[in-house]
Amino acid sequence: MGVLITLENVGKTYYSGSVPHEVLKGVNLTIDEGEMVVILGPSGSGKSTLLNMLGGLDSATSGQITFGEKTVTNLTDRQLSAFRAIDVGIIFQFYNLIPTLTAEENVGLMSELGIDIMDPIEALRLVGLDGKKNNFPSQMSGGQQQRVAIARAIAKKPRLLLCDEPTGALDTETGKEVLKLLCAQCREDKRTVVMVTHNTLFADIADKVIYVKDGTVSRIVTNDYPKEADELNW
Ligand SMILES: Nc1ncnc2c1ncn2[C@@H]1O[C@H](COP(=O)(O)OP(=O)(O)OP(=O)(O)O)[C@@H](O)[C@H]1O
Ligand SMILES: [Mg+2]
């Protein structure tokens, strides 16, 4: 399949006062359509910054990012919000559900913003939670809340699914279930999935592993025979 995302010499610098802090430097990489990508690296190395940049949640200070036919780094703020809303689904470590809305309402939120999404009940069914549609986040386990977050992210059928430590807050068994769901998004639904994790075992399920170190991509490894989530020995 063709290339979906290209980063060319991408850098990100934050300033504390006038002191520059170069968080990413000279990043070059490509992500293919339908690829399963895992990003690994020490805490503070720049993984989340890189992930956010792929989905237009954060802007590059230098370099160029293209997504399909769009040059993300040239988009206006308005175009960037439309890009994020339509093309990018995001799953975080701590679910980020709205506590006063039910599972169904959390998943249906995007349609309130005028985004074309699948029926929220259908999205909940895909993650095995249609039976919990009327539950509030506080009435669900961590794993169930994360599955609602996945349903919310996939309901809009995004071309890109970004996950920042999606299993970080979950126990092993629940983490496996969530990982299986995310893998199915890639392997069955042919969606491009990029996942940041501290779990080095996840390298085995990826088509491509991007190692980040001190703000640079230190190594990119491609797997010709990625494993299924079930085959990992946790
Ligand atoms: N908004 C910001 N302003 C200033 N510095 C930031 C900002 N966001 C991130 N940083 C800095 O950028 C560096 C990389 O942060 P990032 O969150 O990308 O790391 P990470 O690899 O995801 O770490 P972790 O594994 O702990 O989540 C860190 O030194 C962090 O302090
Ligand atoms: Mg992070």
Side-chain angles (χ1 to χ4, degrees):
M1 280 198 263
V3 171
L4 179 64
I5 307 171
T6 307
L7 270 63
E8 280 175 277
N9 207 17
V10 166
K12 177 74 184 181
T13 303
Y14 289 110
Y15 287 87
S16 42
S18 58
V19 183
H21 183 38
E22 218 179 353
V23 174
L24 284 180
K25 45 207 156 195
V27 173
N28 292 296
L29 55 87
T30 58
I31 292 175
D32 289 343
E33 190 103 43
E35 201 167 34
M36 177 91 205
V37 178
V38 164
I39 302 179
L40 289 170
S43 186
S45 57
K47 302 181 298 297
S48 294
T49 308
L50 175 59
L51 189 80
N52 290 342
M53 235 160 248
L54 298 176
L57 282 88
D58 200 350
S59 59
T61 317
S62 57
Q64 182 167 287
I65 302 175
T66 55
F67 182 104
E69 49 301 322
K70 293 191 231 340
T71 302
V72 177
T73 30
N74 288 348
L75 297 180
T76 62
D77 284 350
R78 204 189 168 84
Q79 290 168 328
L80 203 55
S81 343
F83 161 62
R84 281 193 303 257
I86 295 165
D87 289 321
V88 187
I90 306 168
I91 293 151
F92 297 101
Q93 180 174 2
F94 294 111
Y95 333 132
N96 293 20
L97 300 177
I98 298 187
T100 52
L101 299 181
T102 64
E104 181 180 358
E105 290 163 348
N106 263 287
V107 175
L109 260 189
M110 285 293 161
S111 61
E112 302 285 320
L113 300 176
I115 314 287
D116 180 23
I117 67 163
M118 65 172 83
D119 176 14
I121 304 293
E122 170 63 10
L124 284 171
R125 196 187 58 73
L126 291 175
V127 300
L129 278 186
D130 39 332
K132 300 275 180 197
K133 66 186 170 78
N134 295 322
N135 286 43
F136 291 97
S138 63
Q139 299 167 330
M140 288 180 283
S141 70
Q144 289 169 343
Q145 290 181 63
Q146 189 62 305
R147 279 148 66 194
V148 173
I150 294 173
R152 181 179 57 185
I154 63 179
K156 61 181 171 180
K157 304 190 200 106
R159 285 174 81 183
L160 175 66
L161 194 58
L162 299 178
C163 320
D164 199 346
E165 314 223 17
T167 63
L170 305 174
D171 62 65
T172 307
E173 277 313 308
T174 316
K176 264 188 198 172
E177 291 307 312
V178 164
L179 187 66
K180 268 166 69 175
L181 275 174
L182 295 173
C183 285
Q185 279 299 309
C186 180
R187 304 299 181 203
E188 288 163 29
D189 294 329
K190 310 293 173 210
R191 219 178 287 293
T192 309
V193 176
V194 184
M195 189 185 313
V196 165
T197 177
H198 275 112
N199 192 337
T200 50
L201 284 178
F202 289 13
D204 289 346
I205 57 154
D207 297 306
K208 181 180 281 169
V209 187
I210 298 172
Y211 291 88
V212 180
K213 191 179 169 190
D214 295 333
T216 62
V217 170
S218 58
R219 204 154 57 105
I220 296 181
V221 176
T222 51
N223 274 339
D224 289 335
Y225 302 101
K227 288 186 179 170
E228 307 219 357
D230 269 340
E231 297 175 285
L232 295 185
N233 287 317
W234 291 34

